[in-house]
Amino acid sequence: QTAPTIKWRLTSGFPKSLDTIYGGAEVLAKRVKELTGGKFQIQVFAAGELVPGGPAALDAVQAGTVECCHTCSYYSFGKEPTFAIGSALPFGMDCRQANAWFYYGNGQKLMDEFFSNYGLQSFPGGNTGTQMGGWYRKELTSLDDIKGLKFRVAGIAGKVWAKLGAVPQQIPGGDIYPSLEKGTIDAAEWVGPYDDEKLGFYKVAKNYYYPGWWEPGLVIHFFVAKKEWDKLPAEYKAAFEAAAFEANVTMMAEYDHKNPAALSRLLSSGVKLRRFSNEIMQAAQKASQEVYAEESAKSPAFKKISEDYFKYAKVQNAWFSIAEASMAQFLHGAK
Amino acid sequence: MEALLTFSRLIDALTERIGKATTWLVMIVALISAGNASMRYSINWSSNALLEIQWYLFSAIFLLCAGYTLMKNEHVRIDIISGRLSAQSRAWIDIFGFVFFFFPMVYLFVSLGWPFFMMSFSGGEMSSNAGGLIRWPVKILLPVGFALLALQGVSELIKRVAFLRGLIADPTEKEGISAEEQLAAEIAATARGERV
Amino acid sequence: MNEFLIANMAPIMFGALIVFMLVGFPVAFALAANGIFFGLLGIHLGLLNESLFMALPERVFGIMNNDTLLAVPFFTFMGLVLERSGLAEELLDTIGQLFGPIRGGLAYAVIFVGALLAATTGVVAASVISMGLISLPIMMRYGYDRKIASGVIAASGTLAQIIPPSLVLIIMADQLGRSVGDLYEGALIPGLTLTALYVGFIFLVSIFRPAAVPALPLEARSLHGMKLLMRTLTSLVPPLLLIFLVLGTIFIGVATPTEGGAMGATGALLLALAKKRLSWRLLRQAMDSTAKLTTFVVFILIGARVFSLTFYGVDGHLWVEELLTALPGGVVGFLIVVNILVFVLAFFLDFFELSFIIVPLLAPVADKLGIDLVWFGVLLAVNMQTSFMHPPFGFALFYLRSVAPKEVKTSEIYWGAIPFVLIQIIMVSLIIVFPNIVSYGDSGHGDTKKPEVELSIEQLQQSGSSDAPAQKDDDLAKTLRGEK
Ligand code: NA
Ligand code: NA
């Protein structure tokens, strides 16, 4: 029996300008093609070429417009809060912990159970690592400085910031930079040093905060329409899975490779690196828990999966605080 | 044919009503937007609901006025060639256009727009922004707007056929004066110092 | 046959688009029909997936939640209210009196008022109609050459399109994925330079053909001295206030460019109210025209989205890219070809159609060639401005014809526009030769390369306090077991 030629289309939730995230889909397409001797071809479309970015990529898979997409499930948070868990939760797990949860914990099983309600099969396919906390025109010296802070932040994180008194604002993409420059908004968050540098925020808002506690390890997924997945020959499934693993690992490595140099460039251009104070972090963590309680009351799936997620996170953090953290502390503290 | 023309007049009346009512949104959305900007600047208060209602209303303007604009023959055409033809020939062009260009498009949008709305409605989709709005009211505008546009297309088609049969005057001849002519008259009156 | 179709789908589709549009049915539906027809053909030939059209609702939804396009009704509404408020008439009257007694003075007044109106709004029709109604008869009464008179009015009216705020720039920003504010800033100096070139042209005419632009006799003035000065100052207040409301609020950070439009619209309403010109009828008319214009503009975009879905599906964008990157002369070759193409297409298409069909195909190529997209957008906007002035289809000429006295021959209006079309071409060349004319903010698009600096741990340490809480050992043990 000869292997069939299969052509799929993949829509990315990201524009080509986010080259590292967008590149994840190209890693998958290239590897799948190589592993199947050129028989299984996946054509990659950037956000906007077939359908817009954001939640539209996932909708396009669900509607059958494309066979698969590469995007963050939290864009669909408005449909069902559980979609946020697939990508990142404030004070949730980092990249390695999330991989552990997905691959060896209950993550993959629980999320696929949830995604199957939407006819989707999911594969972790990239990670940004812990993000930065965004660019602020003024220093945040206390919780009071957050009151009335006009902040460009989306999704579940926006709900947490709103609880702290901020005014989450949605500004059209191209206008984020000028709005920050002119002071129409006071702060904006994006990804991390490498992607942030490209948008030029450092020229107009010098306070660069960390850590991005609302995205401690943003997972990007490949989503495949289940009915298309079921039609694939077993070897093609294996090729797809292997390629998704590779995209997942290499994106993180690529970010780790690119971010230090970008951060050093930012620092040398006068950026003030600032850490969120414990007061802010603790208040934000408390606010996050309130948000989780509210979402759990609305959605049984969110309640069930987020409980498993945070139970797992707690164990992970305890473990990471031993060898990992002390080694990091020693190395980073050494003169 | 007389029955069809009555039907066409009913559609026109409906389109006129919906169109005229919708035009008010132009001013309403401008006031909301200016208000939001002022309040955000002066008292640091704003909300995503206020931002989102702006594009909800913007969508309503062009989707609910689509049929109205068609009825007023204001969807732009390139009339380099057709402008030199007789009114009869132009009516034939329109009949061809409605059948082969217009109806396939509106059919696609109505038939695909409905499940698009239903997916959002049945899942109770909300905005993913803090304090944002529920989504189905804006998504239903898509199939509804195109359905109203389709209906007006039916009316226009009837009118073109009736015109070719000599039953009515050329429906593309704008009744009364155009917006530009109206504007010119008003400016002229203003220049003469009259109240308009 | 099928092989030929499959291999040449993109060029065939593009060629057919021209035929579809020339039929004379509304462009929006012709565009969509082209996309649907070739989509079905592509599916039949196995080039495209049956589910292709399922993307359409999402694509239209992307237009619906587009905050940038929301500025289109705002600026249109503002312009329409404003033109009925008597602002233009007052300006023309006063500035005309001020400049009238010098040679070419009325023409200068028209250019000056055209630029001022342009800085408050973006509606060419309104500017041309106002100036055509008020200035053209006066210019004719005092013996202006009809060609020069109508040319300067039509051209000054089109300044509305290039001096910010403007609909062209808003739509261009949307199509290029750049900030409206950046395009506004970038277009400011080219817009003013263009105004200066118009002035220069009139100056040359006043030297070489003084009879064409005579000075007004002093008795044509009804105001003198201090009275005239006061009138001038007071008539300048409302437009300056509006300029502040629209551009000022954007530049000082009160509003986004879209909201700036809403501020301007609200301001125009207040101005009309203050001048006691705001009637229900005026309001309804302005809203009615705005709604119809917004609808036809957005529908062209919807049609273009249906077209481009199939066009992208058959790799049309790659075809265009190969075609344009293979041009001799690299970037310069590309710019020359693109500008000639846009100039020629502008004879047939207005700027909405150009922006929605052509710009999305050109922008990725320009980006790939390393061309700054804000600069590119301003360049195209200046070029497209000619689409209003091209005889015989330019809209500005059409509007002027509708209000010009009968004695003015249509051919005179056409001939009068030609020098200004040439000035436009000069301006396009100036932007290409001196790209720095288009300067905008300190906006970062990451092109500026920073020197590589090693990230030092000291920098990191200094910048943040290390106040991580320590954990008790037994607590930790429990947590590790998942008991806590
Ligand atoms: Na982020
Ligand atoms: Na303007």
Side-chain angles (χ1 to χ4, degrees):
Chain A
Q1 180 197 343
T2 54
T5 298
I6 293 182
K7 285 184 185 171
W8 274 14
R9 292 182 306 164
L10 178 153
T11 187
S12 170
F14 313 99
K16 285 181 183 162
S17 55
L18 283 171
D19 56 0
T20 319
I21 298 194
Y22 173 79
E26 291 190 318
V27 168
L28 174 98
K30 179 170 172 283
R31 192 59 94 214
V32 161
K33 195 175 170 190
E34 285 166 358
L35 288 172
T36 57
K39 294 279 191 182
F40 185 9
Q41 299 158 16
I42 299 175
Q43 192 184 359
V44 178
F45 291 88
E49 287 184 350
L50 282 180
V51 293
L58 200 66
D59 291 348
V61 179
Q62 208 186 325
T65 312
V66 290
E67 290 81 6
C68 57
C69 71
H70 188 225
T71 194
C72 299
S73 62
Y74 71 0
Y75 291 137
S76 303
F77 165 69
K79 286 192 171 46
E80 224 290 0
T82 313
F83 277 106
I85 309 176
S87 314
L89 285 178
F91 299 97
M93 290 188 269
D94 72 8
C95 170
R96 277 176 52 194
Q97 297 169 340
N99 278 341
W101 184 60
F102 274 111
Y103 292 148
Y104 293 97
N106 297 324
Q108 188 71 41
K109 184 176 129 278
L110 289 171
M111 287 314 292
D112 265 344
E113 221 171 82
F114 169 74
F115 288 136
S116 70
N117 297 329
Y118 299 84
L120 302 167
Q121 182 101 22
S122 71
F123 304 87
N127 203 301
T128 63
T130 307
Q131 298 198 356
M132 292 295 283
W135 302 84
Y136 299 72
R137 288 165 58 86
K138 294 205 187 84
E139 202 181 334
L140 304 178
T141 50
S142 72
L143 273 172
D144 277 347
D145 290 342
I146 296 179
K147 301 273 181 293
L149 181 85
K150 289 163 279 193
F151 189 22
R152 194 260 167 209
V153 55
I156 199 168
K159 293 204 168 188
V160 179
W161 277 98
K163 278 196 186 293
L164 298 179
V167 185
Q169 285 287 288
Q170 296 317 304
I171 298 278
D175 286 333
I176 300 174
Y177 174 87
S179 298
L180 189 59
E181 178 186 28
K182 307 291 198 276
T184 314
I185 49 174
D186 304 310
E189 66 95 31
W190 193 235
V191 184
Y194 178 73
D195 291 319
D196 289 8
E197 184 190 22
K198 280 197 272 188
L199 293 190
F201 294 137
Y202 62 93
K203 294 176 188 170
V204 294
K206 293 289 181 193
N207 298 291
Y208 195 20
Y209 270 83
Y210 71 92
W213 43 260
W214 51 99
E215 281 162 307
L218 175 64
V219 181
I220 295 104
H221 270 97
F222 292 105
F223 289 102
V224 179
K226 196 145 180 9
K227 65 179 202 306
E228 298 295 334
W229 179 254
D230 292 339
K231 282 193 262 177
L232 277 187
E235 312 86 82
Y236 291 14
K237 283 183 181 168
F240 191 99
E241 279 168 340
F245 268 112
E246 180 176 327
N248 191 22
V249 173
T250 52
M251 187 190 296
M252 188 67 257
E254 195 174 342
Y255 267 119
D256 282 338
H257 177 72
K258 287 170 167 173
N259 276 329
L263 184 58
S264 76
R265 286 192 296 274
L266 290 170
L267 286 170
S268 65
S269 67
V271 165
K272 293 276 170 285
L273 206 50
R274 298 190 191 283
R275 182 166 161 167
F276 284 119
S277 68
N278 270 358
E279 184 198 16
I280 291 176
M281 296 279 283
Q282 279 154 4
Q285 194 173 27
K286 189 165 157 279
S288 303
Q289 276 148 8
E290 285 166 29
V291 170
Y292 300 146
E294 286 162 19
E295 300 301 336
S296 295
K298 278 187 272 178
S299 157
F302 185 89
K303 183 171 163 37
K304 176 181 161 193
I305 303 179
S306 67
E307 274 172 5
D308 184 83
Y309 178 95
F310 279 110
K311 200 172 153 212
Y312 198 82
K314 196 151 205 176
V315 175
Q316 286 291 309
N317 280 321
W319 158 234
F320 270 59
S321 73
I322 302 304
E324 200 70 32
S326 54
M327 198 62 204
Q329 236 163 23
F330 175 79
L331 284 173
H332 300 168
K335 292 276 161 182
Chain B
M1 200 67 216
E2 206 34 62
L4 283 174
L5 270 172
T6 309
F7 181 53
S8 157
R9 276 188 286 271
L10 278 175
I11 296 175
D12 285 3
L14 176 75
T15 301
E16 179 95 22
R17 282 210 157 182
I18 294 174
K20 279 262 180 336
T22 306
T23 59
W24 282 95
L25 299 181
V26 169
M27 188 175 67
I28 293 170
V29 69
L31 295 177
I32 291 177
S33 182
N36 181 61
S38 313
M39 280 193 293
R40 185 183 52 218
Y41 189 73
S42 56
I43 57 170
N44 282 353
W45 185 86
S46 173
S47 85
N48 279 321
L50 223 45
L51 288 168
E52 290 180 1
I53 193 72
Q54 293 175 35
W55 62 261
Y56 278 38
L57 297 180
F58 169 64
S59 305
I61 291 171
F62 69 82
L63 286 167
L64 298 182
C65 281
Y68 182 63
T69 308
L70 181 71
M71 183 171 77
K72 301 284 175 187
N73 195 22
E74 296 222 8
H75 281 286
V76 266
R77 307 162 179 259
I78 296 178
D79 52 5
I80 297 171
I81 296 169
S82 65
R84 290 154 197 252
L85 304 175
S86 67
Q88 277 74 17
S89 307
R90 284 202 302 269
W92 276 112
I93 287 177
D94 275 4
I95 290 172
F96 170 85
F98 277 113
V99 173
F100 293 103
F101 290 4
F102 178 89
F103 285 115
M105 173 189 182
V106 291
Y107 168 76
L108 261 185
F109 276 104
V110 174
S111 61
L112 295 172
W114 186 254
F116 175 73
F117 151 71
M118 278 308 290
M119 201 160 97
S120 171
F121 179 72
S122 59
E125 183 187 7
M126 291 291 300
S127 160
S128 63
N129 300 315
L133 301 172
I134 190 154
R135 280 284 179 265
W136 69 260
V138 72
K139 288 195 169 177
I140 199 173
L141 287 172
L142 184 63
V144 167
F146 274 92
L148 289 170
L149 178 62
L151 205 56
Q152 188 57 39
V154 172
S155 166
E156 295 300 320
L157 190 60
I158 294 171
K159 284 189 274 185
R160 298 301 183 279
V161 173
F163 168 65
L164 284 174
R165 292 189 169 192
L167 296 174
I168 56 168
D170 183 0
T172 57
E173 278 300 315
K174 287 190 189 136
E175 74 274 6
I177 54 174
S178 74
E180 280 79 25
E181 286 166 322
Q182 172 100 33
L183 175 63
E186 282 172 22
I187 292 170
T190 313
R192 289 193 302 269
E194 296 165 12
R195 281 290 306 276
V196 280
Chain C
M1 178 66 187
N2 277 6
E3 286 75 46
F4 176 79
L5 274 178
I6 289 170
N8 296 292
M9 191 76 161
I12 292 170
M13 192 180 167
F14 201 78
L17 177 66
I18 297 165
V19 178
F20 273 61
M21 294 210 302
L22 285 178
V23 166
F25 199 66
V27 173
F29 309 122
L31 270 165
N34 182 274
I36 294 170
F37 175 78
F38 282 92
L40 293 174
L41 186 65
I43 292 169
H44 173 72
L45 294 173
L47 272 176
L48 299 165
N49 199 308
E50 291 100 14
S51 55
L52 177 81
F53 295 127
M54 309 277 275
L56 287 179
E58 289 287 358
R59 284 167 82 80
V60 173
F61 193 63
I63 300 172
M64 292 163 71
N65 64 27
N66 182 317
D67 297 281
T68 305
L69 289 177
L70 180 55
V72 171
F74 291 165
F75 280 108
T76 310
F77 184 56
M78 176 187 177
L80 292 173
V81 171
L82 208 56
E83 291 297 331
R84 289 165 167 83
S85 69
L87 175 119
E89 292 72 31
E90 246 180 75
L91 273 174
L92 281 165
D93 184 44
T94 330
I95 311 290
Q97 297 227 0
L98 196 66
F99 287 140
I102 57 170
R103 206 183 278 157
L106 279 180
Y108 295 137
V110 164
I111 298 171
F112 184 66
V113 173
L116 227 101
L117 290 177
T120 56
T121 178
V123 184
V124 171
S127 294
V128 172
I129 290 171
S130 291
M131 299 199 292
L133 270 173
I134 295 153
S135 301
L136 193 54
I138 305 177
M139 291 165 114
M140 283 169 61
R141 193 183 318 147
Y142 291 102
Y144 264 65
D145 180 296
R146 288 173 191 169
K147 294 199 271 293
I148 304 272
S150 51
V152 79
I153 289 173
S156 303
T158 65
L159 286 174
Q161 284 306 315
I162 194 66
I163 295 181
S166 102
L167 289 184
V168 180
L169 296 173
I170 291 166
I171 285 169
M172 198 69 85
D174 178 59
Q175 294 295 306
L176 295 169
R178 289 294 180 267
S179 129
V180 176
D182 280 352
L183 265 113
Y184 280 1
E185 277 188 64
L188 195 59
I189 294 178
L192 296 178
T193 311
L194 201 55
T195 313
L197 289 176
Y198 290 175
V199 169
F201 171 69
I202 296 297
F203 182 70
L204 290 179
V205 172
S206 72
I207 289 174
F208 295 104
R209 283 186 56 209
V213 287
L216 259 59
L218 272 179
E219 60 268 24
R221 254 192 196 179
S222 57
L223 292 170
H224 299 276
M226 277 308 283
K227 258 191 169 161
L228 178 59
L229 188 69
M230 283 309 291
R231 259 295 287 285
T232 310
L233 292 178
T234 49
S235 67
L236 279 174
V237 170
L240 292 178
L241 263 175
L242 285 168
I243 293 172
F244 169 77
L245 268 181
V246 178
L247 295 177
T249 53
I250 301 170
F251 292 139
I252 66 171
V254 176
T256 63
T258 300
E259 290 165 338
M263 297 291 247
T266 310
L269 282 173
L270 292 176
L271 181 71
L273 201 62
K275 294 196 159 194
K276 300 200 168 61
R277 291 202 195 274
L278 189 67
S279 64
W280 279 120
R281 217 169 60 81
L282 180 157
L283 195 59
R284 298 194 77 119
Q285 253 258 312
M287 294 187 306
D288 198 80
S289 304
T290 305
K292 285 186 292 195
L293 179 128
T294 306
T295 305
F296 88 63
V297 169
V298 175
F299 265 79
I300 296 174
L301 180 56
I302 293 176
R305 287 282 160 91
V306 181
F307 163 77
S308 61
L309 176 66
T310 305
F311 197 64
Y312 274 71
V314 300
D315 290 333
H317 55 309
L318 299 181
W319 170 68
V320 171
E321 194 182 304
E322 277 163 27
L323 214 62
L324 291 175
T325 46
L327 293 169
V331 172
V332 176
F334 168 78
L335 288 174
I336 291 171
V337 169
V338 161
N339 276 295
I340 292 173
L341 177 80
V342 169
F343 183 80
V344 171
L345 286 175
F347 278 96
F348 311 100
L349 305 178
D350 68 30
F351 81 84
F352 292 119
E353 290 143 8
L354 285 169
S355 309
F356 293 139
I357 304 168
I358 307 298
V359 174
L361 293 173
L362 299 179
V365 186
D367 199 31
K368 204 161 210 176
L369 290 170
I371 297 170
D372 182 278
L373 288 187
V374 172
W375 179 84
F376 189 62
V378 173
L379 179 75
L380 291 184
V382 175
N383 191 332
M384 284 182 192
Q385 204 187 331
T386 54
S387 74
F388 285 92
M389 285 189 258
H390 275 319
F393 305 117
F395 272 108
L397 308 182
F398 169 74
Y399 296 136
L400 186 59
R401 175 68 277 173
S402 71
V403 297
K406 295 278 175 290
E407 307 91 275
V408 181
K409 289 194 223 121
T410 304
S411 62
E412 287 173 325
I413 294 180
Y414 290 171
W415 280 110
I418 287 173
F420 292 93
V421 172
L422 293 176
I423 291 176
Q424 218 66 35
I425 297 172
I426 294 173
M427 190 65 220
V428 169
S429 322
L430 281 177
I431 294 177
I432 294 178
V433 178
F434 305 105
N436 287 335
I437 303 178
V438 183
S439 57
Y440 58 99
D442 180 30
S443 42
H445 294 286
D447 303 317
T448 42
K449 287 272 172 287
K450 291 267 158 339
E452 292 277 337
V453 180
E454 282 300 304
L455 173 61
S456 78
I457 294 305
E458 284 73 22
Q459 281 173 310
L460 284 168
Q461 297 265 305
Q462 283 156 10
S463 59
S465 56
S466 175
D467 46 6
Q471 233 179 337
K472 289 249 164 55
D473 284 358
D474 49 346
D475 280 355
L476 178 66
K478 279 185 192 161
T479 323
L480 274 173
R481 289 197 298 273
E483 287 166 4
K484 210 181 154 209

